[in-house]
Amino acid sequence: MRQPMMMKEFLIPIAHRIKFSLQPKKPFSGRGILLKLADSILTEPTGPLTIKTLDGFKLRIDPVKDKGVERSIYFTGTYEAGTLHVFDHLLKTGDIYFDIGSNIGLMAIFAAKKVGRKGQVHSFEPEPDTFKILEHNCRINSLNNMVLNNIAMGSVEEDAVIYPNLDINRGAASLVKQDGSTGKKVTISTLDKYLANTMINKKIKLLKIDIEGYELEMLKGAAQLLRS
């Protein structure tokens, strides 16, 4: 069973590259054949697998369980390509990047590759199961410039509950309670406290926040940083 899956994982990036390269092209003889070939590879997913993204790094995804981010990565090789395009232009070798709400690591790993060994990525993902996938994805890309934190960022230090929202996607888990949902206990810290403890001696070049309705609370806990 593993051998056919390994073959599929090998072929998926080829299908992504075919589709990506044909997007801006005008119709030409053979275009339809190539698209059919790509579609024959990208059949309906059946479970977790590891693929190489269009940006050249590997991710463990489950496009059956996650019908948002991970399903997009499975069928296209990327997610929010416009955001990654901005990252590509803003981040340089040696920069410091903070990723608040990292999910399985697509943007954090992209940034880690961009800033290189002289740079650093500080990644925050409070949902325990998602954090395990983030750790795995960091490990399979042999990244040593990522600091992974299994905590949430808010306005005060406290314990809280994070609620899943898999009807949207894995990354939609939120500290804001959903109707009828049950959650998991997590720890909340503040960005100001984190910076004081880690004593980072360089300016943060870019900070991305995607924490499902808790953004304002996180910014309240970064008052000193914002004033600076």
Side-chain angles (χ1 to χ4, degrees):
M1 184 67 182
R2 181 56 189 161
Q3 194 167 13
M5 181 60 74
M6 289 177 64
M7 179 60 69
K8 187 175 180 65
E9 290 174 351
F10 172 78
L11 291 173
I12 285 174
I14 297 174
H16 291 158
R17 188 58 60 186
I18 289 172
K19 287 198 154 190
F20 180 77
S21 63
L22 293 178
Q23 279 181 354
K25 301 284 187 181
K26 293 182 179 179
F28 62 90
S29 178
R31 184 177 188 272
I33 295 173
L34 288 172
L35 286 174
K36 284 182 180 180
L37 173 61
D39 288 338
S40 71
I41 297 169
L42 296 170
T43 55
E44 193 64 24
T46 58
L49 70 167
T50 301
I51 66 170
K52 184 177 285 188
T53 69
L54 280 174
D55 294 296
F57 54 85
K58 292 179 285 187
L59 284 177
R60 184 69 174 174
I61 61 172
D62 187 345
V64 175
K65 185 174 183 178
D66 183 299
K67 295 177 175 60
V69 176
E70 292 167 58
R71 191 171 177 86
S72 173
I73 293 170
Y74 174 81
F75 281 109
T76 71
T78 189
Y79 181 76
E80 290 196 7
T83 303
L84 297 179
H85 180 74
V86 172
F87 284 16
D88 190 45
H89 280 73
L90 291 180
L91 291 172
K92 309 294 181 187
T93 299
D95 282 343
I96 302 292
Y97 167 74
F98 271 54
D99 195 292
I100 315 294
S102 292
N103 197 359
I104 64 169
L106 171 70
M107 294 185 183
I109 293 171
F110 180 95
K113 294 286 188 179
K114 187 69 179 178
V115 302
R117 286 182 294 178
K118 293 183 178 179
Q120 207 169 60
V121 168
H122 292 256
S123 176
F124 302 83
E125 176 49 55
E127 210 289 325
D129 292 333
T130 304
F131 183 77
K132 290 177 184 177
I133 302 171
L134 172 64
E135 284 185 307
H136 177 80
N137 285 335
C138 178
R139 187 165 56 250
I140 62 177
N141 286 284
S142 302
L143 294 170
N144 298 315
N145 61 346
M146 291 183 68
V147 181
L148 305 182
N149 299 279
N150 187 201
I151 57 175
M153 290 281 105
S155 58
V156 295
E157 292 185 286
E158 60 181 350
D159 292 330
V161 175
I162 192 165
Y163 301 93
N165 198 358
L166 281 171
D167 289 342
I168 300 176
N169 64 60
R170 194 193 307 273
S174 176
L175 293 167
V176 179
K177 183 173 174 58
Q178 311 295 316
D179 290 342
S181 60
T182 57
K184 303 172 185 176
K185 289 184 179 180
V186 297
T187 299
I188 299 179
S189 186
T190 73
L191 190 54
D192 283 339
K193 183 73 172 180
Y194 181 83
L195 290 171
N197 288 340
T198 51
M199 295 183 292
I200 297 170
N201 58 9
K202 292 178 65 176
K203 287 185 178 181
I204 299 172
K205 178 63 180 290
L206 183 64
L207 185 150
K208 179 221 103 185
I209 312 168
D210 186 3
I211 49 177
E212 304 302 319
Y214 217 69
E215 287 81 4
L216 180 58
E217 291 302 304
M218 180 258 139
L219 291 171
K220 289 177 182 177
Q224 292 180 349
L225 172 66
L226 296 176
R227 279 196 295 268
S228 70

